[in-house]
Amino acid sequence: MVIGGIEAGGTKFICAVGDEHGNVTERIQFPTTTPGETMKQVIDFFKKFTLKAIGVGSFGPIDINPASPTYGYITTSPKKKWRNFPMVRTLQEALSVPVGFHTDVNAAALGESAFGAAKGLDSCLYITVGTGIGAGAVISGKLLQGFSHPEMGHLLLRRHPDDPYTGKCPYHADCFEGLASGPAIEERWGKKGSELAGNPEVWELEAYYIAQALMHYILILAPQKIILGGGVMNQKQLFPSIYAKLEKMLNQYLSFPSPLNRYIVPPDLGEDSGIIGSLLLGKQACGAN
Amino acid sequence: MVIGGIEAGGTKFICAVGDEHGNVTERIQFPTTTPGETMKQVIDFFKKFTLKAIGVGSFGPIDINPASPTYGYITTSPKKKWRNFPMVRTLQEALSVPVGFHTDVNAAALGESAFGAAKGLDSCLYITVGTGIGAGAVISGKLLQGFSHPEMGHLLLRRHPDDPYTGKCPYHADCFEGLASGPAIEERWGKKGSELAGNPEVWELEAYYIAQALMHYILILAPQKIILGGGVMNQKQLFPSIYAKLEKMLNQYLSFPSPLNRYIVPPDLGEDSGIIGSLLLGKQACGAN
């Protein structure tokens, strides 16, 4: 089955053509600018192929309720030009194929669940810590969804007593994303995270917030595998520090999957979790599971 | 279908006989003492009936992984006499029927989902704030379960700056349960909650912690309905205070089901959510959904 996949990110769009087994045969990427310009590039790319369906893993928030009049829209996004943009309708009208639509992190969770670190398990959590922080979960083999998609990046965490930074989230100031996203790291320390690799205090603090968020996710969801992706997680020294802090916080209350270095892991699909997951969203849009 | 239900609580056991439509025809209750004494009462009661199955909603933590050698056990419970007690095997051996087994809060979530406040919805969250704090969720029509059942009462919340109380949880001191359970209220204020109804500062603080926990649950699960039960929630003045605090914290980031007084509600089944849910666990143990 020839499927199109779109990883619609706040910074860049990746478009791919592939199949339901996660194989990608063609791929292109370009910066996210205006909907008019960016979507023209998307459509020009896909017009060259005969597709069965397209799946989109999108930055958000988005409307994924099929009964809603704004189903398939990017809604209250901080990216103002994309607010109230009808992604699904735009693609359907231009390409005349079924369109699957979920958040970028849900697509990544699906990709890792089918072909990556959580293959063979019926639950997992995929978290990205990068420009923003978000997470998607597969529970009992399905994407977790209630009245809408989760917004797991905005948890209110306990502040570290030695952290005076006020936080970067426009809605909640010092929520998880406001304290621990890439831009928050850069604003707090005055340099990009990638330039701070040798400063252990940066990563101790970062691990403190990530471990706390993981504690919440584990207590609420009990996922069988936790996958930590996104640009900030390229600092691999974060992992052992997160394990140590999480064990201390949970204080042996739960017996969770061990060892921790096989429970909380980087993505198996590297940077392709999202684009491969979007192919699966396309497959689901055809009515296949 | 004649089904037995057990609400196995830390303070009392309720046993009922009823059907898969949530009708209860017989009921008995007695204090939770030792496993030997309490289970004898349970078995003597059910022996009088010809049952198709029994469902148990139990205090925990419990082992609900069918592949585990300790499946059906109460595990690391703070109630020491019940630690490592094989609930499912004990009932199966004495009564020779299939036994369904989940946490007490999961049973209550199931009951409210099928016949109560969340009837007709495919997701809900049931929270009890009482002697302990716990929650169960139905997601896409099924009880939420990953590597185990959730342990949602142990979230680490932000301390209120004017609250000096150290917390009552033996594992995490000042987690949600440690700060906001009935025993925490009693220890902090020197009186039982029921004797503090006229002290608004007690309920302002309580609502502060409950609203924060709800924010986490909503961001992670997005349940279509939230049901707040348990003894502490008999203080009905908590509800409007929780609504106000939650709206302020979320700061219009999410458009969630409104109005809040129909989104976050007391149990429709009153104190019977758990026992009715346990009948449904019995039904599921017969292979019926």
Side-chain angles (χ1 to χ4, degrees), chain A residues 27-47:
Chain A
R27 170 194 308 241
I28 188 174
Q29 77 175 56
F30 34 81
T32 309
T33 59
T34 62
E37 189 175 41
T38 303
M39 293 309 292
K40 182 174 184 314
Q41 289 175 283
V42 170
I43 290 159
D44 286 348
F45 171 73
F46 284 119
K47 277 212 164 144

Side-chain angles (χ1 to χ4, degrees), chain B residues 64-78:
Chain B
I64 56 168
N65 175 4
S68 158
T70 53
Y71 169 74
Y73 280 53
I74 293 173
T75 58
T76 57
S77 173

Side-chain angles (χ1 to χ4, degrees), chain A residues 139 144 146-147 150-151 154-158 171-172 174 216 219-223 249-251 253-254 256 263, chain B residues 139 144 146-147 150-151 154-158 171-172 174 216 219-223 249-251 253 256 263:
Chain A
I139 298 291
L144 171 65
F147 66 78
E151 279 289 348
H154 293 264
L155 300 184
L156 290 184
L157 304 179
R158 278 192 193 174
Y171 290 90
H172 316 112
D174 60 353
H216 288 111
L219 289 167
I220 295 177
L221 296 171
M249 275 190 288
L250 279 169
N251 194 22
Y253 182 66
L254 294 176
F256 53 97
Y263 178 49
Chain B
I139 298 290
L144 171 64
F147 66 77
E151 279 289 348
H154 294 265
L155 300 183
L156 289 184
L157 304 178
R158 277 192 195 175
Y171 289 92
H172 317 111
D174 60 353
H216 288 110
L219 289 167
I220 295 177
L221 296 171
M249 274 191 287
L250 280 169
N251 194 23
Y253 181 67
F256 53 98
Y263 178 48

